[in-house]
Amino acid sequence: MINRANHFRQQCEFDKAAEVYEKLIAQNDSDAELYWSLALCRYGIEYVDDPLTHKKIATCHRTQFKSILDDADYLAALERADFMQKPVYEAEAKYIDTIQKGILEISNKEEPFDVFICYKESDENGRRTQDSVLAQELYYQLTQEGFKVFFSRITLEDKLGTKYEPYIFAALNSAKVMVVVGTKPEYFNAVWVRNEWSRYLMLMQEDRSRTLIPAYKDMDPYDLPDALSMFQAQDMSKLGFMQDLIRGIRKIVKADEPKPQVVQQTVVQNVGNTQTAPLLKRIKLFLEDGDWNSANDYCNRVLDLDPECAQAYFYLLMTKLNVRSMQEYEAAELPKGISDDEYYKKACRFADVDFKARLENLNKQTIYNFADNLFKKTRSDTDYKKAGAIFDLLGDFGDSSERATECREKAEFAHKENDYMRARSLAKNDTIDDLKKAINLLGTIKNHKDSAQLIEKYKARIEEIKAEELAREQERQRQEEARQREIARQKRRKKIIAIVCAAVVVIGIVGINVRKPILYKSAVSAFNSADYETAYDKFSQIKDYKDANEYLAKPEIIAGADVGDIVTFGSYTWYVINKTDDGCTLLSEKCITERAYNTERKDITWEKCTLRSWMNNDFYNEFSDEEKAMIEKTHNSNPDNSEYNTDGGSDTDDYIYLLSLDEAENVSEDIRAEGSWWWLRSPGIYSDYAAVVSDGGDVYTRGYSVDIEAGVRPALNLKW
């Protein structure tokens, strides 16, 4: 119990400590230390380290008008003290009495207060509590009504660097009303909050004219401390709370005729301006230095003095945006401005006509800057339209109306240019289908550049291709007829020649058939001996013999293949394009199909495109369960197209995927050339384009529009 009591006293929880000491005294009233400790609790004595002498120095948190030298518990301690204790108690009591006198001397000079607001200022993380904000609102309302109010955040602001106890003591002893503000039960029981209201309760026992009013919000009143639950508590969230509280306080302090509200407002405003002007200058310097924390702190100090200071709210906004000066603010780019920002709203609310107009212009300027920069950077019709829409919203601000018109014209041109380039890109494929698609696109923009001439050119090319195809078909038929004639001629040869020829053929066939079993047996032996490279070479020569193809699909056999070799996996053949000790990367030998990168033309990345969904679902499910077990899920990064600065999107995890621009560059040109105009997963010139590889194996970074059908060469990683 002694340890517990000492712990409470060291934590400045003097009331709790005193209760335990009194219980101990009831059990043993001869212990001098218990009486001395009880006296220390009554005077709120905390022993702190002196940084110079490293000794424990008494600090007083509960000043009394009565000297500790006359305190009953102190005198009882002296009666029971031994020869070592007594001089220590006497020396300490004299020192405490000196402190008490100093506190009383200062407090006697203070003007009396009507109301004392008790609350918790900071939470466990050092941040300002909601209780502090509510208490400050209460302070301003009561001050406006003419009451003299003690609110430590403001009242003690000019007492920085001094001890607060004299001023708290003076306020507690003079205040007719204490309002205890809280939003949590633990805040009502916080050490220094409890210290203040428990001291006031002791004063109320001596002076029944005093009143304590608990004011709570967002909590159950039954959770109030027991000592406060006997008082009529006020719910701050209740409609009319402030009027009821003011009326009740006025009756208690007998302030039937409070100072006129208008006069009081004028006085507060004048004082605020006098005190806030230097602080506002400091804020400006902090902003210029980029010291955002100090700027924010000083803004709140200004608002404590003048809660309707528009300049302080504007400086808070600059701090929030990390803007150092008005010039820097005017150059900022904000897509939606700051109309919805709370600091901006309050700055406009309390600003005079000129300052409010300037704030509104600044807001529009930031939006204008964003639209202007978007206009300068873009080459897509979508972004031109976005910029134009923003300029339209600005109405008659500056040249916004003219800029909106310019954006619409640019958007129309960009859209036509996009279709024009898509048509020309399609025409390079030199197929009838793609030429027809190109003609259809150009038909919608006949007046753009040489679209009309290109339409005629592509129509002529279609006729040329048809003529070439007809000539090839006629040549094929001619060759087939010649082959049939040769067959008929062979049949007319003499029978003996046919027999000889047949014999030769039989011998040749027997030779081949004899060789296959030997190769097969040798390949199986190499496989069983873990000589997978030899097994791969031999099985590759007899793919159509027995289960050679099944062997070739085994991971051990694939592991025997080198980069550049072709292997069989599933129903497809693949190039090995990379190999490690743990597995390899395969790229389909040819394009397995033609599909659009995305079924709808829009800004899209590999992560969201429909081709990725098809590859990792429909195509992936073509493999057997055993084959799926060999396919390793690959974490793919999707870098931007550095040439056109288009976004590559988020990283993805894929079973089946397309190569990126960088990965395609690392594949040999011969392997790349096996496919004809096949997709890469990287973006192209615009966000609705994707990069491709040409039929000659060239990596085409500009790419195709995502809704065009192109070749698909899947890639996957196998694990051994």
Side-chain angles (χ1 to χ4, degrees), residues 164-198:
Y164 291 154
E165 173 59 19
Y167 308 101
I168 295 174
F169 174 75
L172 285 171
N173 278 277
S174 62
K176 289 294 184 182
V177 178
M178 171 178 276
V179 181
V180 187
V181 175
T183 58
K184 296 180 180 179
E186 58 266 31
Y187 285 177
F188 278 101
N189 282 306
V191 173
W192 296 112
V193 176
R194 189 182 185 93
N195 181 49
E196 289 177 350
W197 60 252
S198 63

Side-chain angles (χ1 to χ4, degrees), residues 574 585-588 615 655-659 713-717:
W574 310 75
T585 302
L586 303 183
L587 176 68
S588 67
M615 292 176 73
Y655 289 108
I656 314 291
Y657 58 93
L658 299 175
L659 298 183
R713 293 184 72 180
L716 55 86
N717 286 347

